[in-house]
Amino acid sequence: MVNYDDKRNFYRMMLNSEVTVTIIDDEANSKVLATCRDLSATGIAIEMPHPLEINTAVRISVESANSAVQPLDAKGKVVRVTEEGTDCYLVGVNISEID
């Protein structure tokens, strides 16, 4: 039996990958480069230089380093924002759809 303190329904994969965050809510569909810290079946934690508003709709694109693995393209909403330092925010996104 696995004993874990983080009582989540899905395990998180720790990553350090570049992601493109497209903000769906604005008319320009602004794109921001960020870093994916971790990923699970229902969420993703992204390190960004500026915060996003809670409930902001976003599209997350993660390119694959291996041609045998498809890139990740998902939609979701911002559910958490934590300031971790100067120009460093951890943004939690709840994934609602994977393309």
Side-chain angles (χ1 to χ4, degrees):
M1 181 169 184
V2 176
N3 182 14
Y4 62 101
D5 294 328
D6 189 12
K7 309 281 189 226
R8 297 181 185 268
N9 290 329
F10 298 98
Y11 287 105
R12 290 196 167 263
M13 282 191 315
M14 304 309 284
L15 300 174
N16 189 20
S17 300
E18 186 175 274
V19 298
T20 302
V21 179
T22 304
I23 302 167
I24 298 170
D25 282 349
D26 69 1
E27 291 181 20
N29 284 331
S30 301
K31 292 186 179 188
V32 178
L33 287 179
T35 302
C36 173
R37 274 217 199 147
D38 62 56
L39 173 67
S40 79
T42 59
I44 185 168
I46 303 164
E47 187 177 302
M48 301 180 68
H50 58 80
L52 294 177
E53 294 290 324
I54 299 293
N55 290 322
T56 299
V58 294
R59 176 182 296 277
I60 308 293
S61 299
V62 183
E63 292 298 320
S64 175
N66 182 339
S67 62
V69 178
Q70 291 185 341
L72 172 68
D73 192 22
K75 290 181 185 176
K77 286 201 178 217
V78 174
V79 294
R80 183 183 72 249
V81 179
T82 306
E83 184 174 6
E84 296 207 320
T86 305
D87 297 329
C88 183
Y89 295 86
L90 187 61
V91 177
V93 176
N94 184 18
I95 296 173
S96 59
E97 180 182 329
I98 296 178
D99 295 332

